Amino acid sequence: MDLPGAAMLLSPAGLFGLLAIAIPVAVHLISRGRGRRVLIGNIELVRAARRTRVTALRLTQRLLLLLRISIVVVATLLLAEIALQGSDSAEPGVRYVTPGWLRAANDTERADLLSLEPAPRVLTKGYPTAPGYDPGPGDPDYDIWPLLAERLSALRHAGEVDVYAEPRMAAFGEQRPQLPNGIRWHLAADTTAPAALSSDGVVIHDSDRTDAVRQVERALAALRRHRVPQMRWQTCLADDVACISKSRDWVVWLAAAEPPADLGDARLYRPQGETSQPAISDPRYPDVLLEALLSDAQRREAWQSLPASSAVLNAGAALAESVPLPNRPLHLWLGLLLVALWAVERLLSERGRTADD
């Protein structure tokens, strides 16, 4: 759970601890009605001292209430595991560029970028400035996401971040970290992108499974849009012998009957049981379907051959495994603050009890 600024909560459920604030508030309200009867000789002797005593007592009680609420809040933040993404701040208008973009861009594009202030940083080890960096043919053109996540987690970036990269998903890596929304992607032209993976299949169903067919086709359309652009499929009824007998890469079997044994080498996916419909309707269902239809090698090939675009990088890339950003927990500082608050609260409480005695 992200908070304003560079803070985040690693265990947001710990915020339920804030309900414990009601305990010191209730104790404070109840104790206000308690008092002791004291026998004195002449009221005039203590009238002036009484005003001072009551004022000091009220201030002490309110301070104790504030301290006890603060103890609950700090303890809750410890339970919620509050952490920081970074401690330093980057210069406004910071830009990042990949070695592949510097190689793919023409002279005019490269000169325009290198003339900007502050100087762009290269997404490679050490994050050198682009004007003094000479991309060699052996420099890595991959793992853009992990490198960018590491940089963004170490520095606070005000406003949007501009990233210049080549339009090939192979350069970004297979795992997409949790990145902030304010990233503007500038993708260079690339004529060396590998051929996209081609995958042909069929969805076979009974006539009463039209709702399930629509859900599966929506998932297939999402996969074609974001992961396998060359994915094609046909939909036919289970009694269509000509359709079933064709050679396919994969088959989604939604019919009640058992699938025939002569489906060839096609990968077969068949949701089982009465609970299959909620699974098909689940927003994560495209991931499940992709794992069923393609092997690990095919999924990797499809991802690497996918052309990058702003839409894919900001939305469709979420289909990749999500890896959280590195963080810096504040357990030590919160623990020290908790001990200090508790010590002050005990000191004031004991002093008040001694004064009452």
Side-chain angles (χ1 to χ4, degrees), residues 98-272:
T98 66
W101 188 95
L102 291 173
R103 280 193 295 267
N106 57 47
D107 294 339
T108 302
E109 292 173 333
R110 191 180 302 107
D112 290 342
L113 178 64
L114 298 182
S115 64
L116 297 175
E117 293 292 340
R121 296 277 180 172
V122 182
L123 286 175
T124 189
K125 185 178 180 180
Y127 305 98
T129 56
Y133 177 78
D134 184 17
D139 289 352
D141 285 338
Y142 52 86
D143 288 345
I144 293 175
W145 273 333
L147 287 167
L148 186 60
E150 178 182 344
R151 184 69 174 177
L152 295 181
S153 66
L155 297 176
R156 296 195 187 114
H157 291 70
E160 291 185 316
V161 177
D162 290 276
V163 180
Y164 295 76
E166 57 272 38
R168 294 182 297 114
M169 294 312 304
F172 287 81
E174 296 183 40
Q175 295 182 333
R176 181 183 186 269
Q178 297 174 0
L179 299 175
N181 295 326
I183 295 181
R184 293 184 299 192
W185 301 96
H186 306 268
L187 304 175
D190 191 348
T191 59
T192 62
L197 173 71
S198 178
S199 181
D200 297 313
V202 61
V203 179
I204 299 175
H205 64 97
D206 291 328
S207 58
D208 59 348
R209 297 295 304 275
T210 54
D211 289 341
V213 172
R214 281 196 292 267
Q215 296 285 355
V216 170
E217 289 196 315
R218 275 197 286 266
L220 290 172
L223 294 177
R224 181 170 60 186
R225 185 166 57 251
H226 297 306
R227 293 299 294 269
V228 191
Q230 299 300 323
M231 175 174 278
R232 295 177 293 270
W233 67 90
Q234 182 181 357
T235 303
C236 59
L237 293 172
D239 56 3
D240 190 341
V241 179
C243 177
I244 297 176
S245 61
K246 292 182 179 179
S247 177
R248 310 285 185 177
D249 296 325
W250 48 265
V251 176
V252 177
W253 189 271
L254 298 176
E258 290 295 322
D262 57 350
L263 288 178
D265 297 330
R267 292 175 64 92
L268 176 65
Y269 172 64
R270 184 187 186 190
Q272 299 292 334

Side-chain angles (χ1 to χ4, degrees), residues 11-24 68-80:
S11 302
L15 292 178
F16 284 107
L18 292 175
L19 298 176
I21 291 178
I23 297 176
R68 288 163 183 167
I69 291 177
S70 299
I71 289 173
V72 173
V73 171
V74 173
T76 300
L77 292 178
L78 273 171
L79 292 175

